[in-house]
Amino acid sequence: MFFPFLSDPIMPRVSSSTSAYRALQVEEVLSTIFRHLSPYVWDRQVVLTFPDRLDIDPTKDFTHLGVDASPCSANQQTLVQCSRVSRLFAPHALKVLWRTLPDLRPLQYLLEAMKFSYADLETGTPVHTLPANTIDPSHAREWRRYRWYAACVIGVRDVIDYNTLEEWSDKGGPPLLSRLQSARFRLDPRSINRTLRLLAPSIRDLTLNFDPVSSHILEGSRPSAEVVLKAVAERAPEVEVLNVIFRAPPKDPSTVLPRFPRLRVLIITGWMTPSLHQDIEAYDELELLYVKLYWTRRAEANLQNLQIRRFHRVKTLVALTLSEPIISALQVTDFPLLENARLEVWPHSSDATEGLTHIMEYLHTRAPKMRSFVINTRSAAKHGDRPPPRLVTVLAPLLAHSALDTLSLTLEDNYTFAISCEDILSFASAWPNLVTLTLAHAPTRNTEALPPIVSFLALANACPRLETLVLCARFDCTARDSWREALIPPHGLRELFLGLDAETGSYRPDKTWRALAAMLDRCFPRLHAKYDLVRPAVVGVQTAELWQTVMQHLREIQAGGRRSLSPEL
């Protein structure tokens, strides 16, 4: 391989016949090696294959998805150095270096480096805005060089907005990037046509932000999401990942999502409408659905009377700011292939316990293949003087869902639940393939029928694949002599958090917590001494500090600080 803009394409001959040298003559081998030096982590194919790697911050919208905070500077430096070593390495290294640009400025600098007018002499049209086969014959070599670099650009990281496009105004407009696959645009009424011109049939990963950049932009001048998306679908029909943000309330519930026949990932931050529920069903290839939806009182009635829809191939569902009207939409949606679900529920009712149970029932009946379920929610009011409900009553529908390998419930603010020894044993029999079980909530204040500390050992022993366990059950640690020598076969558990009853360790408490740490070390040799699996705001400061004490003892034991635990100490 050689630079197409170099006048002499003949590669230098090197008298070497080693196997390493012969391997480096194979372009596929060199390309594979240099691709591992990519300065950016985000890769569309990786996300499509491993959706769990998509970092989701529920406090934000989805504009941050797929955006690395900063490139790996060490990889950038390595690529630059490799490009200077030999003409054999240079094109491969530079292709990776230019594959993803932070913004459009490197191409701008490349144009400015040309010491001649880059406009066509006859028409005055800038050559860089013309199709790739248009070359100025008077500067053919320079234009081949520019086209080679431009053809390397697959993705642009920074948001392309009105200000970005204005930087190209005195150059005749932004460049045409024939191989562009990934880009993020913030749409502005003043630059819609210039934005659409940058789109190419090669686009696969596209973010469109319809939020107004300024309050000074008149309402009537804002682009219609439906019209723009229709134009986008015509110019870039092969999009596989679409991220759409439109937080301004829709003027009407008309259809806003056009047909993208190859769409596999749909990410929406916007307003829930009946038509949106219908449009999503039409995406036959859709596998990952991420939605952060709002709703209006005006649309609430329509959302209560939706037809049953079937999202045929969706395997991963993430829904943030889930509220009652949107829960109603989910309850009339079939997910025959759904495997992973993550919900952030912010209910408006005073007590959402009943709503949680409905969600469990819905998932069990409409998502029969679900393996992973993560939910964060909060209640608007305390249980008051009522006895705290048993968590198993909320989870009851899922107890019949034996395929689960991940179950995580984080119940914030006012959620207080009780977990009995019987409940813990029911978890073990219901989900034998568990890898992660997180039940994070405020422990019950009721001191009656607290589960003994050894009950969680029975759960771990019944779930040999378990790696992460969080139980806020307020375990009873009295009768230390009865459990200090408890033993199960060595288990592969790596992360653990237990809610403990502080009163049961009041008689020489430090001795009790050290004995518990020794038991954990004996039963779980691979356990990490971590105590930040659950935020104190969820379980309470005292509960979090108590477990931190146990983990400090475990850390000392693992570091070789084991001491005698005999009663004489």
Side-chain angles (χ1 to χ4, degrees):
M1 185 178 179
F2 58 89
F3 285 113
F5 53 80
L6 294 175
S7 57
D8 181 13
I10 301 176
M11 298 297 298
R13 296 182 178 275
V14 180
S15 57
S16 175
S17 60
T18 64
S19 57
Y21 177 81
R22 289 196 300 273
L24 291 178
Q25 304 302 304
V26 181
E27 292 188 5
E28 290 79 3
V29 173
L30 277 176
S31 298
T32 301
I33 292 173
F34 282 106
R35 275 199 299 269
H36 285 285
L37 291 173
S38 175
Y40 295 96
V41 175
W42 169 262
D43 184 271
R44 185 180 73 260
Q45 295 301 329
V46 171
V47 171
L48 291 172
T49 308
F50 306 102
D52 291 342
R53 296 187 184 182
L54 198 58
D55 184 26
I56 300 173
D57 186 345
T59 64
K60 302 179 180 179
D61 57 33
F62 289 119
T63 56
H64 71 287
L65 295 183
V67 180
D68 301 316
S70 58
C72 178
S73 58
N75 284 7
Q76 287 180 319
Q77 295 171 4
T78 301
L79 289 170
V80 171
Q81 292 169 354
C82 289
S83 69
R84 295 171 177 171
V85 169
S86 72
R87 291 177 60 185
L88 180 65
F89 289 174
H92 297 283
L94 289 174
K95 267 194 170 184
V96 176
L97 191 63
W98 278 74
R99 178 182 175 87
T100 303
L101 298 182
D103 48 47
L104 294 177
R105 288 190 177 90
L107 288 169
Q108 186 175 340
Y109 300 150
L110 199 61
L111 277 177
E112 293 172 351
M114 296 180 178
K115 303 302 182 182
F116 57 87
S117 171
Y118 41 79
D120 182 73
L121 296 180
E122 294 183 3
T123 65
T125 303
V127 177
H128 70 275
T129 65
L130 299 175
N133 56 0
T134 305
I135 298 294
D136 183 356
S138 60
H139 300 283
R141 185 176 183 274
E142 289 83 352
W143 279 115
R144 279 199 299 270
R145 177 176 182 267
Y146 172 84
R147 296 291 190 194
W148 188 89
Y149 280 105
C152 292
V153 180
I154 301 297
V156 178
R157 305 295 297 179
D158 201 8
V159 176
I160 300 175
D161 57 10
Y162 171 77
N163 294 329
T164 302
L165 297 175
E166 279 295 289
E167 293 180 3
W168 288 83
S169 294
D170 60 348
K171 297 176 178 59
L176 291 184
L177 302 176
S178 59
R179 298 184 60 204
L180 185 65
Q181 294 185 15
S182 178
R184 305 166 66 220
F185 296 94
R186 190 181 187 99
L187 298 173
D188 189 291
R190 299 166 291 180
S191 59
I192 291 294
N193 291 333
R194 284 181 288 176
T195 298
L196 293 176
R197 194 171 180 275
L198 281 172
L199 298 179
S202 58
I203 290 285
R204 298 292 184 270
D205 173 14
L206 181 62
T207 294
L208 298 173
N209 190 340
F210 287 89
D211 287 351
V213 295
S214 171
S215 59
H216 298 295
I217 296 179
L218 298 177
E219 180 68 28
S221 65
R222 293 178 184 175
S224 165
E226 182 178 6
V227 172
V228 174
L229 282 171
K230 184 177 179 180
V232 169
E234 293 174 354
R235 298 186 67 92
E238 303 298 308
V239 168
E240 296 180 359
V241 179
L242 179 63
N243 188 350
V244 182
I245 301 99
F246 53 98
R247 278 172 294 214
K251 298 178 181 179
D252 56 67
S254 61
T255 301
V256 296
L257 293 178
R259 180 77 173 145
F260 289 93
R262 296 189 59 183
L263 193 65
R264 297 177 63 187
V265 179
L266 177 60
I267 306 166
I268 299 179
T269 302
W271 291 80
M272 179 65 188
T273 63
S275 61
L276 187 62
H277 188 236
Q278 177 182 347
D279 296 340
I280 295 175
E281 184 185 34
Y283 295 126
D284 297 330
E285 302 298 319
L286 190 65
E287 296 180 19
L288 284 73
L289 177 60
Y290 298 82
V291 292
K292 183 173 183 178
L293 297 173
Y294 315 109
W295 58 279
T296 62
R297 292 291 182 183
R298 184 181 64 175
E300 184 173 356
N302 294 330
L303 294 175
Q304 299 293 337
N305 300 301
L306 296 175
Q307 298 181 15
I308 294 179
R309 302 291 176 183
R310 189 176 180 87
F311 293 1
H312 301 274
R313 298 188 61 180
V314 173
K315 295 181 180 179
T316 299
L317 169 68
V318 177
L320 306 187
T321 61
L322 202 64
S323 53
E324 282 89 345
I326 301 172
I327 291 175
S328 299
L330 284 177
Q331 289 174 341
V332 291
T333 307
D334 285 333
F335 292 93
L337 298 182
L338 186 68
E339 297 180 358
N340 309 292
R342 172 174 173 177
L343 309 178
E344 301 278 345
V345 184
W346 309 112
H348 296 273
S349 60
S350 60
D351 184 359
T353 304
E354 182 179 355
L356 280 176
T357 304
H358 289 330
I359 292 175
M360 307 297 175
E361 292 173 349
Y362 141 71
L363 287 171
H364 174 57
T365 56
R366 297 196 176 273
K369 294 189 176 182
M370 185 179 64
R371 297 184 298 103
S372 173
F373 178 54
V374 178
I375 183 169
N376 288 359
T377 188
R378 63 176 56 177
S379 178
K382 297 182 179 180
H383 294 296
D385 296 331
R386 292 172 293 162
R390 290 174 59 191
L391 186 57
V392 73
T393 59
V394 177
L395 298 175
L398 289 184
L399 291 176
H401 204 92
S402 59
L404 280 179
D405 59 33
T406 298
L407 176 60
S408 177
L409 275 74
T410 300
L411 311 173
E412 299 187 15
D413 292 346
N414 302 315
Y415 270 111
T416 300
F417 285 100
I419 302 180
S420 67
C421 179
E422 179 185 353
D423 299 339
I424 294 174
L425 296 179
S426 69
F427 300 157
S429 59
W431 307 309
N433 297 316
L434 276 178
V435 176
T436 299
L437 177 60
T438 298
L439 302 177
H441 55 86
T444 177
R445 296 179 180 85
N446 193 343
T447 58
E448 298 179 2
L450 297 180
I453 188 64
V454 292
S455 58
F456 94 93
L457 293 178
L459 172 62
N461 195 39
C463 302
R465 298 178 57 203
L466 193 63
E467 295 184 1
T468 300
L469 177 61
V470 175
L471 287 177
C472 301
R474 196 172 178 184
F475 286 95
D476 182 357
C477 298
T478 56
R480 183 172 64 238
D481 292 340
S482 66
W483 55 259
R484 61 185 296 174
E485 299 300 332
L487 184 65
I488 60 173
H491 194 283
L493 190 71
R494 293 177 176 271
E495 298 179 325
L496 177 66
F497 182 96
L498 299 177
L500 306 174
D501 183 18
E503 298 301 323
T504 60
S506 59
Y507 176 71
R508 303 191 70 177
D510 191 65
K511 191 176 185 64
T512 298
W513 309 138
R514 181 174 286 275
L516 176 57
M519 182 186 73
L520 296 177
D521 182 55
R522 186 170 60 252
C523 297
F524 309 106
R526 301 173 67 184
L527 185 64
H528 301 313
K530 297 176 61 177
Y531 52 82
D532 57 351
L533 293 178
V534 183
R535 292 182 291 109
V538 175
V539 298
V541 175
Q542 183 184 27
T543 303
E545 290 179 348
L546 203 57
W547 186 247
Q548 181 177 353
T549 300
V550 176
M551 289 294 97
Q552 287 173 345
H553 287 307
L554 177 61
R555 191 176 294 109
E556 293 174 2
I557 293 172
Q558 292 175 338
R562 184 184 298 275
R563 294 168 52 190
S564 171
L565 299 175
S566 62
E568 288 75 18
L569 281 181

